[in-house]
């Protein structure tokens, strides 16, 4: 069995205690992950603090070179690292490898992204400029659905801005992040990047430590709230990328055959384990039947299998608690009168396989509609009145993404602006660009990732004002 290590202060550390990592395609352990002790975490935080006191925050050229080298190394390891992502996360191999390639591209973008300096006044009397300063030690805490993409989305801007980082991946998918640490060890000055494996408790230790000045967190709403409370103690900066319950509103003028496939993959890519997947589908009653029929047909055709099995299009749910939650929500919807028109029971094999499941005849008040399912189950709700559908779409604590589907793009864009969410699409969903600010309204988060907005989350503004 391969050994995985923490990266602490430029050293690979085997760790004193471990937990097993489960292969979601079998339900059986396949590797051990080091579980950071308090002392190991303490060393990582001390190393990050020490590196922040060195040249790193002051040497922009070094930071850009380092990010470029990280990007290249990651791209070179995309096949191998993608294989590990596929095994620990469950997603199809090519999808996992593309995730790693995307992360490499993102680091390249960060290596080249300008750090803005704004001149507010320069008139011979006063010169007033706004510059960005790094915050210090940043904690990067990530979930299990896109382990490498999410981590890269934090490392790129954090390091470019001049911070140092202690990263902690989800205990369900820690190994690829530890491998990434091992890969970057020779490229990043010691202490600038530290990666520790660990349970939820290790995350809580990080967010309670006064040496951490910034927490960049992606995960669930309940954990986000805990993190915000922990951060309040010494006013750490936070970016919270939390859950979603994205609505897609389908207008009567669509061609059902043309949109069904995009709707299907908008809901079920990565087995629905995407914060911005379609999680509630509102369809006008005149096109309801053909859309349900087309989605049912697609659900029946898709190949579900282990990520590493050839031909697999959808993998298992990543972990047992989530697998059980998806079943519970579908069973509850059934009890509330919902009709399961596709899927609806786990596949008869080991592992956490739950096929794409479509539930009709449900609405607000049913948990599958009101809560984030984060898995292979989609409620489809018929509507008559568009204002009512938009009202239902917005009547939620969540506000991550949403979409409108129509033959009239101009009207679609107007309606999209009525959705209360960080990204609103027309005739598509999920598609997020590396340069667009990504994040949530309401309980879906605080702050934004990507582009200059993401960089600002890892910086403090300083005004420099000189009398000339
Ligand atoms: P989670 O909140 O259970 O865990 C996320 C991370 O936080 C893990 O590393 C975990 O160990 C750590 N953690 C847990 N308790 C902690 C605590 N008290 N203090 C500090 N860290 C702690 O979330 P999850 O189940 O891993 O991820 C699924 C959720 O993530 C879904 O709700 C999904 O929508 C959301 N998500 C959001 C985005 C986004 O960008 N908005 C992206 C992906 C996933």
């Amino acid at each position: 069995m391969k050994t995985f290590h923490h990266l602490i202060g430029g050293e690979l550390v085997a760790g004193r205690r471990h937990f097993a990592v489960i292969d979601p395609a079998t339900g059986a352990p396949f590797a051990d992950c080091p579980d950071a002790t308090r002392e190991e975490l303490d060393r990582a935080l001390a190393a990050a603090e020490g590196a922040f006191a060195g040249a790193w925050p002051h040497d922009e050229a070094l930071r850009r070179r380092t990010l470029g080298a990280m990007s290249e190394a990651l791209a070179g390891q995309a096949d191998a690292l993608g294989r590990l992502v596929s095994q620990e996360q469950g997603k199809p191999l090519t999808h996992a490898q593309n995730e790693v390639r995307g992360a490499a591209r993102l680091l390249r973008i960060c290596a080249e992204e300008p750090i803005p300096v704004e001149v507010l006044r320069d008139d011979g009397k006063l010169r007033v400029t706004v510059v960005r300063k790094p915050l210090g030690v940043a904690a990067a805490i990530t979930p299990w659905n896109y382990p490498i993409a999410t981590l890269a989305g934090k490392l790129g801007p954090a390091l470019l801005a001049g911070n140092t980082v202690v990263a902690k991946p989800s205990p369900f998918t820690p190994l690829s992040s530890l491998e990434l640490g091992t890969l970057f060890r020779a490229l990043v000055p010691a202490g600038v990047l530290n990666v520790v494996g660990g349970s939820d408790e290790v995350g809580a230790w990080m967010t309670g430590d006064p040496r951490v000045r910034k927490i960049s967190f992606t995960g669930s709403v309940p954990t986000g709230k805990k993190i915000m409370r922990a951060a309040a103690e010494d006013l750490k900066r936070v970016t919270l990328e939390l859950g979603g319950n994205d609505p897609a509103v389908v207008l009567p003028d669509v061609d059902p055959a043309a949109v069904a496939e995009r709707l299907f993959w908008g809901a079920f890519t990565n087995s629905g384990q995407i914060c911005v997947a379609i999680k509630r589908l509102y369809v006008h009653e005149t096109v309801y039947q053909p859309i349900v029929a087309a989605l049912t047909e697609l659900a029946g055709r898709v190949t579900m299998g282990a990520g590493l099995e050839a031909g697999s299009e959808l993998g298992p749910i990543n972990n047992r608690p989530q697998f059980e939650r998806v079943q519970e929500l579908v069973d509850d919807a059934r009890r509330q009168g919902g009709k399961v028109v596709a899927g609806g029971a786990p596949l008869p094999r080991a592992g956490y396989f739950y096929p794409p499941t479509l539930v009709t005849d449900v609405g607000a008040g049913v948990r599958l509609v009101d809560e984030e399912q984060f898995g292979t189950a989609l409620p489809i709700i018929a509507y008559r009145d568009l204002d009512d559908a938009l009202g239902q779409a917005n009547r939620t604590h969540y506000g991550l993404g949403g979409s409108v589907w129509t033959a009239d793009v101009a009207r679609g864009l107007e309606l999209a602006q009525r959705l209360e969410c960080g990204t609103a699409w027309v005739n598509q969903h999920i598609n997020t660009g590396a340069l667009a600010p990504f994040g949530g309204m309401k309980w879906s988060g605080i702050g934004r990732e990507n582009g200059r907005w993401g960089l600002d989350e890892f910086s403090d503004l300083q005004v420099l004002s000189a009398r000339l």
Side-chain angles (χ1 to χ4, degrees):
M1 200 191 273
K2 184 175 160 62
T3 307
F4 294 88
H5 297 90
H6 306 297
L7 174 66
I8 298 178
E11 299 297 324
L12 295 180
V13 175
R16 286 227 312 275
R17 51 180 205 178
H18 295 81
F19 58 82
V21 180
I22 308 292
D23 179 342
T26 62
F30 78 100
D32 281 341
C33 175
D35 184 8
T37 61
R38 264 217 116 107
E39 188 268 330
E40 286 162 357
L41 176 66
D42 188 59
R43 272 162 48 206
L45 290 166
E49 194 179 44
F52 189 71
W56 183 254
H58 312 290
D59 191 340
E60 189 179 321
L62 169 65
R63 302 203 299 271
R64 291 188 185 284
R65 268 201 315 280
T66 303
L67 282 164
M70 288 163 70
S71 167
E72 211 171 298
L74 198 53
Q77 283 301 308
D79 286 353
L81 197 60
R83 181 164 281 276
L84 186 57
V85 170
S86 176
Q87 187 164 21
E88 67 175 353
Q89 203 287 328
K91 66 185 67 183
L93 179 61
T94 48
H95 191 68
Q97 290 170 334
N98 286 338
E99 176 183 342
V100 180
R101 284 193 192 94
R105 278 195 300 277
L106 194 125
L107 292 177
R108 165 63 55 197
I109 289 170
C110 291
E112 291 164 5
E113 192 181 326
I115 301 177
V117 175
E118 284 131 348
V119 180
L120 301 186
R121 183 170 166 179
D122 191 8
D123 58 5
K125 291 187 188 132
L126 271 184
R127 185 183 302 130
V128 183
T129 52
V130 181
V131 297
R132 269 94 183 144
K133 291 174 74 67
L135 299 164
V137 176
I141 303 178
T142 49
W144 45 259
N145 57 336
Y146 280 87
I148 293 298
T150 314
L151 182 53
K154 299 184 185 313
L155 293 185
L159 297 178
L160 173 63
N163 303 279
T164 58
V165 175
V166 178
K168 190 206 82 71
S170 164
F172 293 116
T173 53
L175 304 176
S176 52
S177 298
L178 295 178
E179 274 297 272
L180 180 130
T182 301
L183 177 68
F184 289 163
R185 177 179 173 226
L187 308 174
V188 184
V192 164
L193 171 63
N194 306 271
V195 186
V196 295
S199 58
D200 296 354
E201 184 185 40
V202 177
W205 294 340
M206 289 164 78
T207 58
D209 194 291
R211 286 169 291 191
V212 170
R213 298 310 311 147
K214 165 80 192 182
I215 304 166
S216 179
F217 170 75
T218 300
S220 64
V221 169
T223 308
K225 290 182 180 176
K226 283 187 202 160
I227 286 179
M228 196 145 171
R229 277 186 216 111
E233 191 57 39
D234 61 353
L235 297 175
K236 292 180 194 356
R237 274 44 176 172
V238 292
T239 303
L240 304 176
E241 295 288 348
L242 308 180
N245 195 8
D246 288 15
V249 180
V250 180
L251 270 56
D253 64 356
V254 297
D255 172 359
V259 296
E261 193 150 347
R262 265 179 281 152
L263 287 170
F264 182 86
W265 289 108
F268 291 110
T269 297
N270 208 39
S271 292
Q273 302 161 117
I274 302 189
C275 51
V276 282
I278 297 173
K279 293 178 181 144
R280 295 174 288 154
L281 185 54
Y282 294 93
V283 183
H284 191 266
E285 59 182 11
T286 54
V287 283
Y288 190 75
Q289 285 311 334
I291 294 266
V292 170
L295 291 175
T296 306
E297 203 262 321
L298 285 161
R301 250 200 295 141
V302 77
T303 308
M304 177 167 259
L308 296 175
E309 264 164 42
S312 151
E313 294 172 288
L314 288 181
I317 300 292
N318 170 258
N319 56 73
R320 176 165 286 284
Q322 192 61 26
F323 176 58
E324 286 172 355
R325 179 173 161 73
V326 173
Q327 292 178 63
E328 187 184 306
L329 292 180
V330 173
D331 293 345
D332 175 72
R334 232 188 226 120
R335 283 195 298 275
Q336 308 293 322
K339 269 202 242 153
V340 177
V341 296
L347 296 188
R349 59 181 280 180
Y352 310 138
F353 292 95
Y354 197 85
T357 294
L358 302 169
V359 184
T360 64
D361 298 85
V362 283
V366 174
R367 289 180 61 203
L368 181 62
V369 177
D370 294 350
E371 299 180 18
E372 183 188 36
Q373 65 277 49
F374 213 62
T376 32
L378 179 69
I380 314 177
I381 302 135
Y383 75 85
R384 179 168 296 172
D385 176 66
L386 181 60
D387 287 332
D388 177 49
L390 291 172
Q392 289 188 59
N394 286 333
R395 211 166 296 125
T396 167
H397 282 303
Y398 290 104
L400 196 55
S403 57
V404 175
W405 298 70
T406 171
D408 181 346
V409 173
R411 179 157 182 247
L413 282 167
E414 270 172 37
L415 294 171
Q417 287 186 57
R418 288 173 58 187
L419 293 174
E420 296 163 4
C421 54
T423 307
W425 291 278
V426 176
N427 296 332
Q428 57 169 348
H429 210 104
I430 298 181
N431 185 13
T432 56
L435 292 175
F438 178 75
M441 294 182 180
K442 303 193 262 184
W443 285 10
S444 286
I446 291 183
R448 293 292 184 268
E449 289 194 322
N450 293 346
R452 62 185 167 83
W453 300 272
L455 189 61
D456 274 352
E457 298 277 325
F458 285 101
S459 317
D460 249 340
L461 300 182
Q462 185 178 52
V463 177
L464 294 174
S465 184
R467 185 178 289 277
L468 301 174

